[in-house]
Amino acid sequence: MSVHPISSFDVPDFEGLPTDIRERIEAVREKTGFVPNVFLALARRPDEFRAFFAYYDALMAREGELSKAEKEMIVVATSAANQCAYCVVAHGALLRLFSKNPLLGDQVAVNYRKADLTPRQRAMLDAALKLARAPEAFGQEDIEGLLAHGFSREDVWDIGAITALFALSNRVAQMTDMRPNEEFYSLGRMPR
Amino acid sequence: MSVHPISSFDVPDFEGLPTDIRERIEAVREKTGFVPNVFLALARRPDEFRAFFAYYDALMAREGELSKAEKEMIVVATSAANQCAYCVVAHGALLRLFSKNPLLGDQVAVNYRKADLTPRQRAMLDAALKLARAPEAFGQEDIEGLLAHGFSREDVWDIGAITALFALSNRVAQMTDMRPNEEFYSLGRMPR
Amino acid sequence: MSVHPISSFDVPDFEGLPTDIRERIEAVREKTGFVPNVFLALARRPDEFRAFFAYYDALMAREGELSKAEKEMIVVATSAANQCAYCVVAHGALLRLFSKNPLLGDQVAVNYRKADLTPRQRAMLDAALKLARAPEAFGQEDIEGLLAHGFSREDVWDIGAITALFALSNRVAQMTDMRPNEEFYSLGRMPR
Amino acid sequence: MSVHPISSFDVPDFEGLPTDIRERIEAVREKTGFVPNVFLALARRPDEFRAFFAYYDALMAREGELSKAEKEMIVVATSAANQCAYCVVAHGALLRLFSKNPLLGDQVAVNYRKADLTPRQRAMLDAALKLARAPEAFGQEDIEGLLAHGFSREDVWDIGAITALFALSNRVAQMTDMRPNEEFYSLGRMPR
Amino acid sequence: MSVHPISSFDVPDFEGLPTDIRERIEAVREKTGFVPNVFLALARRPDEFRAFFAYYDALMAREGELSKAEKEMIVVATSAANQCAYCVVAHGALLRLFSKNPLLGDQVAVNYRKADLTPRQRAMLDAALKLARAPEAFGQEDIEGLLAHGFSREDVWDIGAITALFALSNRVAQMTDMRPNEEFYSLGRMPR
Amino acid sequence: MSVHPISSFDVPDFEGLPTDIRERIEAVREKTGFVPNVFLALARRPDEFRAFFAYYDALMAREGELSKAEKEMIVVATSAANQCAYCVVAHGALLRLFSKNPLLGDQVAVNYRKADLTPRQRAMLDAALKLARAPEAFGQEDIEGLLAHGFSREDVWDIGAITALFALSNRVAQMTDMRPNEEFYSLGRMPR
């Protein structure tokens, strides 16, 4: 177990948390085998915790045309531009798992322009990065660029909204110095 | 009434919306006298609508030490840096109303460093702007700067989390070309 | 009347000013109903005052193909990029008045890319913004872009020279912490 | 004589110019031995020509505490940041002449932080560069920094106003592709 | 084996390489168990290959006060800022190996400000990053900052020169689209 | 002779240098008439000295399709962007000499976009500047742009590798505050 705190803000005792939050955390522990630190770091503000994970579920668990791996590409690439340690490490692991490609997490984190992506995925990330880092310049021409690559308008919304949610998430993680669980660093990597 | 669409994405018919969303919209119409376009633009994705306004309420309606006007300063200053038309115009109006200062909305929107603020408010916005525009560089020293100005750790969380929520909101508004209601432009201005 | 000084540099007594400067100030007071602070803030250096307003008149009062509203769009958009409180507030008012559009001042100030402009006006502001913020990169291809939108070479000169004059003006206003008159905030807004 | 045009805009025949402009040009030709291209490039708009040189004289010929060389340092350093070919080459020559230092023009143009300057001159250029390139961030703390280095408030105005005038001048030169006279390249250099 | 080319430039046959280059490559293969792609990608220009590795050895194998892990921190942090896929992946592995810390490679790559480093190492990377990304602003004050953290002048040279060498290396890797060997992704990671 | 040190690091006595380094320095003194300071500033680390000049010779003395003047254009333009005093002044002189154009050194240093270059040379410098200042964004499309201007793949390598070598050189010069010899300022200028 790490001697580093998982957040620079205090983390509440699990036992004192509201029932719904404890249940959510137990569910993720059962599924994943450990509790990702974001659940513990956000639990000190139950209403914000509930809103965050409701937003997360609404976008990341939504059935649409973007694959789970593609959604994680957006998360990893935009979080890398914001240099968000928690999001890059945790979602890099998810990207490896969902893509079944042990290299893709690091590739997208370091420089998505050089990653093993399709031109369509590259266009998706170009738009996401623009919205993430220069939202003032994002415009209808960027949306038309996505449509030209075969994305539907619902896909465009997903791409933009996931980018927006992690613009929020990156800033909360940065504000709290949120620390990724050690498990995430090696999840989904190739056997040595 | 404007001939410009309020969003570049389709806006659902009010009648077809889920009950809870219709009720929320009716409540704001009664209180404000008109329906801010953000409610209509987000309603096409009910789960995201619910999550967004739950997050919004959790932060903006929360009882804490930041005044309502100070919260709006954060929204206006960070949204101005992101050049978000909807958020600057709508929340500029709220800032005028809550501060009872008809000049403050425009002052903070154009250059918060020149606005009629206290040094403590200036420090609050310096930190918010750094988190908004250069999250990668935000660190514990910025939090300590806020504490030195008399903010509590809960205030720091509020400042950071409001900044984070509008990082999300600005990007959704930019993606949808969300148009501010004309009413917002003149709300809370001084009599001529 | 504001308790805030209109400039961080001393402002001379009106009575002690040279006759031509007093006359210019009286003329604007009669026409506008108040004396815009820029006249008082610059009067401490009579030769620079004369040169500034001569330049201003030469460009802003010049008969050409750009409308008065279009000239103000250039001023507001470039001054907003430089976050010049005086110029955005004062010329935002003029833009509302000349365009007879009570929304346009704020729209162009917040994000001209989202304002209710024609494609030709958008192209005009794209070029002006490039010259204002990245003059090193402005080149003949930008001029050709303007010509392709139907601007004449004299229009191009006007666009560039107005941008250049407010590059000067923004910096003088920023250096002096020049404060916009309260009257400007509400001039030309729609009745409530 | 150069085969390159001195401006991308048309340059009027000397004979057709208004008398006062011809006289000004003749005077500079007599004093300098050649006509700097800026006089010819600006003459097509006589009112702007007069205003520009009135402003120039008001600042550059003003008796104050800044030396002529120090004024040219401001021009060269800020014009170099804007990559203005005309202003760097022409005023680099003036800086060599006024400072009697054949190296200083190039030193300040390439990187003023490494030039042979006093700490006071370095502080002057730090402030000028901030106003030139990031006017939105220039504030009273920058003025106080200058006062702490022994500059008077009138000096501060001169530093800021010269920076502002060349913010204008750099943009006009960039817009017109104004070409420096070949004479400027070698003026004031050391004998070989 | 990867189906992706290791460089966008042609890679020479091993057999046709000059003897000294073949020997160098054989030596690294014996030691490491595989041939890092940088050796193959650079071999097409033998003189540049020799110069590059001579520079590399002179700095990275030099006995000094910086530990091997600290040298790799500089490489990983500056290469991450330049988004150099090859250097981040390959030297991230070396950082894990030399530091015996399976997390440090990713931590430094994503955001060195949040990595588990000493204040002295943080200061070292702050200076290296400034030299890497804003060399124009690097000055004696940065060197004095390093000396104040207990670095010797020889350490300062090492920090700066390693930064400089990877400024070169990152650009060659970017130009050639140099692909990291798959082995590097998992080297030195913790057992799962 | 200058009273300014040529480096902020100590410069070794010529007599104590290894024989090969003394010979190299003597050779350049004979050819050039003086010893460029870079030789003295780097000599304190003989292995790095040898590697640097081996790399330099491999690229700058290589027979290829780029002319000697074109290679110097790359050096001057990228070094100017990094504001490297030594490299701009020394290689500006070489550019004047090799191009037999006494204006070109200053033109390329101030703003290569306005220099008297062919479109092909302009494209070469656009690519070099991108690799120098934004290596993360340099990609295959930039290489294809160069090929479209008639450059061979070996030329592309030369352009990129010279840019990379001076990315290194600029940073070493900046770190050491390396001072250009006074002779370089006037070499190759036109007779007055």
Side-chain angles (χ1 to χ4, degrees):
Chain A
M1 195 199 165
S2 172
V3 299
H4 299 277
I6 68 172
S7 165
S8 67
F9 285 80
D10 57 276
V11 175
D13 281 342
F14 181 76
E15 298 311 318
L17 292 173
T19 309
D20 63 316
I21 291 180
R22 272 189 291 132
E23 287 174 356
R24 171 93 199 214
I25 290 175
E26 283 303 344
V28 74
R29 191 202 312 265
E30 253 171 66
K31 187 175 165 197
T32 312
F34 62 95
V35 182
N37 289 338
V38 65
F39 288 90
L40 303 175
L42 295 188
R44 64 193 299 281
R45 291 266 185 111
D47 287 346
E48 297 168 43
F49 177 105
R50 291 178 190 111
F52 178 78
F53 288 106
Y55 222 135
Y56 187 94
D57 292 346
L59 284 165
M60 302 305 278
R62 181 178 176 273
E63 291 293 321
E65 291 169 63
L66 297 184
S67 71
K68 277 181 176 308
E70 285 169 339
K71 291 178 180 179
E72 298 297 336
M73 286 173 199
I74 298 170
V75 178
V76 173
T78 62
S79 300
N82 288 333
Q83 299 181 228
C84 178
Y86 186 86
C87 299
V88 172
V89 172
H91 289 274
L94 297 182
L95 176 49
R96 287 191 295 271
L97 291 171
F98 291 146
S99 67
K100 300 190 198 316
N101 178 340
L103 309 184
L104 208 51
D106 293 345
Q107 286 181 352
V108 171
V110 178
N111 191 338
Y112 75 92
R113 300 176 200 84
K114 303 294 184 186
D116 297 330
L117 303 175
T118 64
R120 191 170 173 273
Q121 290 166 339
R122 164 73 190 263
M124 175 183 81
L125 295 185
D126 282 340
L129 263 285
K130 188 172 180 185
L131 188 59
R133 296 291 290 179
E136 62 277 9
F138 189 90
Q140 293 309 303
E141 64 280 14
D142 298 297
I143 291 181
E144 272 149 41
L146 289 171
L147 300 176
H149 271 89
F151 290 103
S152 69
R153 288 193 75 82
E154 292 308 310
D155 296 339
V156 171
W157 182 286
D158 284 338
I159 293 167
I162 292 169
T163 299
L165 179 61
F166 281 86
L168 178 155
S169 178
N170 290 174
R171 284 163 179 82
V172 172
Q174 195 74 359
M175 163 178 91
T176 57
D177 240 341
M178 198 183 292
R179 188 174 175 87
N181 306 58
E182 299 197 3
E183 289 87 343
F184 282 127
Y185 287 84
S186 49
L187 263 176
R189 294 203 178 269
M190 64 187 126
R192 279 145 309 154
Chain B
M1 196 199 163
S2 171
V3 297
H4 299 278
I6 67 172
S7 166
S8 66
F9 285 79
D10 58 277
V11 174
D13 281 343
F14 182 76
E15 297 312 316
L17 292 173
T19 309
D20 63 316
I21 290 179
R22 273 189 290 129
E23 286 175 356
R24 170 93 199 213
I25 290 175
E26 282 303 344
V28 74
R29 190 203 312 266
E30 254 172 65
K31 188 176 164 197
T32 312
F34 62 96
V35 181
N37 289 338
V38 65
F39 289 91
L40 303 175
L42 295 188
R44 65 195 297 282
R45 289 266 185 113
D47 288 345
E48 296 169 42
F49 177 105
R50 292 178 189 110
F52 178 78
F53 287 107
Y55 221 135
Y56 187 93
D57 292 347
L59 283 166
M60 301 306 278
R62 181 176 176 273
E63 291 294 320
E65 292 167 63
L66 297 184
S67 71
K68 276 181 177 307
E70 285 170 339
K71 290 178 180 178
E72 297 297 336
M73 286 173 200
I74 298 169
V75 178
V76 174
T78 62
S79 299
N82 288 333
Q83 298 181 228
C84 178
Y86 186 87
C87 297
V88 171
V89 172
H91 289 273
L94 296 182
L95 176 49
R96 288 191 295 271
L97 291 171
F98 291 146
S99 68
K100 301 189 197 314
N101 179 341
L103 310 183
L104 208 51
D106 293 345
Q107 285 180 354
V108 172
V110 178
N111 191 339
Y112 74 92
R113 301 176 200 84
K114 303 295 184 186
D116 296 330
L117 302 176
T118 63
R120 190 170 174 273
Q121 290 166 341
R122 163 74 190 264
M124 175 183 81
L125 295 185
D126 282 341
L129 263 286
K130 187 172 179 184
L131 188 59
R133 294 291 290 180
E136 63 278 11
F138 190 90
Q140 293 307 303
E141 64 281 12
D142 298 296
I143 290 182
E144 271 149 41
L146 289 171
L147 300 175
H149 269 90
F151 290 103
S152 69
R153 289 192 74 82
E154 292 308 311
D155 297 340
V156 171
W157 182 286
D158 283 339
I159 293 167
I162 292 169
T163 300
L165 179 60
F166 281 85
L168 179 156
S169 179
N170 290 175
R171 284 165 178 81
V172 172
Q174 195 73 0
M175 164 178 88
T176 57
D177 239 340
M178 200 184 289
R179 189 175 173 86
N181 305 58
E182 299 196 2
E183 289 88 342
F184 282 127
Y185 288 84
S186 50
L187 262 177
R189 295 204 178 267
M190 65 187 124
R192 278 144 312 151
Chain C
M1 194 202 164
S2 171
V3 298
H4 298 278
I6 67 172
S7 166
S8 67
F9 284 79
D10 57 277
V11 174
D13 281 343
F14 181 77
E15 297 311 318
L17 291 173
T19 309
D20 63 317
I21 290 179
R22 273 190 289 130
E23 287 175 356
R24 169 93 199 215
I25 290 175
E26 283 303 345
V28 74
R29 191 204 310 267
E30 253 172 66
K31 188 175 165 198
T32 312
F34 62 95
V35 182
N37 289 338
V38 64
F39 289 91
L40 302 175
L42 295 188
R44 64 194 299 281
R45 290 267 184 112
D47 287 346
E48 297 169 41
F49 177 105
R50 291 179 189 110
F52 178 79
F53 288 106
Y55 221 135
Y56 187 93
D57 292 348
L59 283 166
M60 301 304 278
R62 181 176 175 274
E63 291 294 320
E65 291 167 64
L66 297 183
S67 71
K68 276 180 177 307
E70 286 169 338
K71 290 178 181 179
E72 297 297 336
M73 286 173 199
I74 298 169
V75 178
V76 173
T78 61
S79 299
N82 289 332
Q83 298 182 229
C84 178
Y86 186 86
C87 298
V88 171
V89 172
H91 289 273
L94 297 182
L95 176 49
R96 289 190 295 271
L97 292 171
F98 292 146
S99 67
K100 300 188 198 312
N101 179 341
L103 309 183
L104 208 52
D106 294 345
Q107 285 180 354
V108 172
V110 178
N111 191 339
Y112 75 91
R113 300 177 201 83
K114 305 293 185 185
D116 297 331
L117 302 176
T118 64
R120 191 171 172 271
Q121 289 166 341
R122 162 75 190 262
M124 174 183 81
L125 295 185
D126 281 341
L129 263 286
K130 187 171 180 185
L131 188 59
R133 296 291 290 181
E136 63 278 11
F138 190 90
Q140 293 308 304
E141 63 281 13
D142 298 297
I143 291 182
E144 271 149 41
L146 290 171
L147 300 176
H149 270 89
F151 290 104
S152 69
R153 290 192 74 82
E154 291 309 310
D155 297 340
V156 171
W157 182 286
D158 283 339
I159 293 167
I162 292 169
T163 299
L165 179 61
F166 281 85
L168 179 155
S169 178
N170 289 175
R171 284 164 179 81
V172 172
Q174 194 73 0
M175 163 178 90
T176 58
D177 240 342
M178 199 184 290
R179 190 174 173 86
N181 306 58
E182 298 197 2
E183 289 87 342
F184 283 126
Y185 287 84
S186 50
L187 262 177
R189 294 202 178 269
M190 65 188 124
R192 278 145 310 152
Chain D
M1 195 198 164
S2 170
V3 298
H4 299 278
I6 67 172
S7 166
S8 66
F9 285 80
D10 58 277
V11 174
D13 281 342
F14 182 76
E15 297 312 318
L17 292 173
T19 309
D20 63 318
I21 290 179
R22 273 190 289 132
E23 287 175 355
R24 170 94 198 213
I25 290 175
E26 283 301 345
V28 72
R29 191 203 311 265
E30 254 172 64
K31 188 175 164 197
T32 311
F34 63 95
V35 182
N37 288 337
V38 65
F39 289 91
L40 302 175
L42 295 188
R44 65 194 296 285
R45 288 267 184 112
D47 287 346
E48 297 169 41
F49 177 105
R50 291 179 190 111
F52 178 78
F53 287 107
Y55 222 135
Y56 187 94
D57 292 346
L59 283 166
M60 301 306 278
R62 182 178 175 271
E63 292 293 321
E65 291 168 64
L66 296 184
S67 70
K68 276 180 176 308
E70 285 170 337
K71 291 178 180 179
E72 297 297 336
M73 287 172 199
I74 298 169
V75 178
V76 174
T78 61
S79 300
N82 288 332
Q83 298 182 229
C84 178
Y86 186 87
C87 298
V88 171
V89 172
H91 289 273
L94 296 182
L95 176 48
R96 288 191 296 269
L97 291 172
F98 291 147
S99 68
K100 300 188 197 316
N101 178 340
L103 310 183
L104 209 51
D106 293 345
Q107 286 181 353
V108 172
V110 178
N111 190 338
Y112 75 91
R113 301 176 201 84
K114 303 295 185 186
D116 297 329
L117 302 176
T118 65
R120 190 171 175 272
Q121 289 166 340
R122 163 73 190 263
M124 175 182 81
L125 295 185
D126 281 341
L129 263 285
K130 187 172 180 184
L131 188 59
R133 295 290 291 180
E136 61 278 11
F138 190 91
Q140 293 307 304
E141 64 281 13
D142 297 297
I143 291 181
E144 272 149 41
L146 289 171
L147 300 176
H149 270 90
F151 290 103
S152 69
R153 289 192 75 80
E154 292 308 310
D155 297 341
V156 171
W157 183 286
D158 283 339
I159 294 167
I162 291 169
T163 299
L165 179 62
F166 281 84
L168 178 155
S169 178
N170 290 174
R171 283 164 179 82
V172 172
Q174 195 74 358
M175 163 179 89
T176 57
D177 240 340
M178 199 183 290
R179 189 175 174 86
N181 306 58
E182 299 197 2
E183 289 86 344
F184 282 127
Y185 287 84
S186 49
L187 262 177
R189 295 202 177 268
M190 65 187 124
R192 279 146 308 151
Chain E
M1 195 201 163
S2 172
V3 299
H4 299 277
I6 67 171
S7 166
S8 66
F9 284 80
D10 56 278
V11 174
D13 281 342
F14 181 77
E15 298 312 316
L17 292 174
T19 308
D20 63 317
I21 291 180
R22 274 189 289 132
E23 287 173 355
R24 171 93 199 213
I25 290 176
E26 283 303 344
V28 74
R29 191 202 313 263
E30 254 171 64
K31 187 174 164 198
T32 311
F34 62 95
V35 181
N37 289 337
V38 64
F39 289 91
L40 303 175
L42 295 188
R44 64 195 297 284
R45 289 266 186 114
D47 287 345
E48 296 168 44
F49 177 105
R50 291 179 189 112
F52 178 78
F53 288 106
Y55 222 135
Y56 187 93
D57 292 346
L59 284 166
M60 302 305 277
R62 181 178 175 272
E63 292 294 319
E65 290 168 64
L66 298 183
S67 70
K68 275 180 176 307
E70 285 170 337
K71 290 178 181 179
E72 297 297 336
M73 288 174 198
I74 298 170
V75 178
V76 173
T78 61
S79 299
N82 288 333
Q83 299 182 229
C84 178
Y86 186 87
C87 299
V88 171
V89 172
H91 289 273
L94 297 182
L95 176 49
R96 288 191 295 271
L97 291 172
F98 291 146
S99 68
K100 300 189 198 315
N101 179 340
L103 310 183
L104 208 51
D106 293 345
Q107 286 182 351
V108 171
V110 178
N111 191 337
Y112 75 91
R113 301 176 200 84
K114 304 294 185 186
D116 296 331
L117 302 176
T118 65
R120 189 170 174 273
Q121 289 166 340
R122 164 74 190 263
M124 174 182 81
L125 294 185
D126 282 341
L129 263 286
K130 188 172 179 184
L131 188 60
R133 295 291 290 179
E136 62 278 11
F138 190 90
Q140 293 307 304
E141 64 281 13
D142 297 297
I143 290 181
E144 272 149 39
L146 289 172
L147 300 176
H149 270 89
F151 290 103
S152 69
R153 289 192 74 82
E154 292 308 311
D155 296 340
V156 171
W157 182 286
D158 283 339
I159 294 167
I162 292 169
T163 300
L165 179 61
F166 282 84
L168 178 156
S169 177
N170 289 175
R171 285 163 178 82
V172 172
Q174 196 73 0
M175 163 179 90
T176 57
D177 241 342
M178 200 185 290
R179 188 174 174 88
N181 306 57
E182 299 197 2
E183 289 87 342
F184 283 126
Y185 287 84
S186 50
L187 262 178
R189 294 203 177 267
M190 65 188 124
R192 280 145 308 153
Chain F
M1 195 199 164
S2 172
V3 299
H4 299 278
I6 67 172
S7 167
S8 67
F9 285 79
D10 57 277
V11 174
D13 281 343
F14 182 76
E15 298 311 318
L17 292 174
T19 308
D20 63 318
I21 291 180
R22 273 190 289 131
E23 286 175 356
R24 170 94 198 211
I25 291 176
E26 282 303 344
V28 74
R29 190 202 311 267
E30 253 171 67
K31 187 175 165 198
T32 312
F34 62 95
V35 181
N37 288 336
V38 64
F39 289 92
L40 303 175
L42 295 188
R44 64 194 297 282
R45 290 265 185 114
D47 287 345
E48 296 168 43
F49 177 105
R50 290 179 190 111
F52 178 78
F53 287 107
Y55 221 134
Y56 187 93
D57 292 347
L59 283 166
M60 303 304 278
R62 182 177 175 273
E63 291 294 320
E65 290 168 64
L66 298 183
S67 71
K68 276 181 176 306
E70 285 170 338
K71 291 178 180 178
E72 297 297 336
M73 287 173 198
I74 298 170
V75 178
V76 173
T78 61
S79 299
N82 288 332
Q83 297 182 230
C84 177
Y86 186 86
C87 298
V88 172
V89 172
H91 289 273
L94 297 182
L95 176 49
R96 289 191 295 272
L97 291 171
F98 292 146
S99 68
K100 301 189 197 314
N101 178 341
L103 310 184
L104 207 51
D106 293 346
Q107 286 181 352
V108 171
V110 178
N111 192 337
Y112 75 91
R113 301 176 200 83
K114 304 295 184 185
D116 297 330
L117 302 176
T118 64
R120 190 169 174 274
Q121 290 166 340
R122 164 74 190 263
M124 174 183 81
L125 295 185
D126 282 341
L129 264 286
K130 188 172 180 184
L131 187 60
R133 296 291 290 180
E136 63 278 11
F138 190 90
Q140 293 308 303
E141 64 281 14
D142 298 296
I143 290 181
E144 272 150 40
L146 290 171
L147 299 176
H149 270 89
F151 290 104
S152 69
R153 289 192 75 82
E154 292 308 310
D155 297 340
V156 171
W157 182 286
D158 283 338
I159 293 168
I162 292 169
T163 299
L165 179 62
F166 281 85
L168 178 157
S169 178
N170 289 176
R171 284 164 178 82
V172 171
Q174 195 72 0
M175 164 179 89
T176 56
D177 241 341
M178 200 185 289
R179 189 174 175 86
N181 306 57
E182 299 196 3
E183 289 87 343
F184 282 126
Y185 288 84
S186 50
L187 262 177
R189 294 203 179 270
M190 65 187 124
R192 279 147 309 155

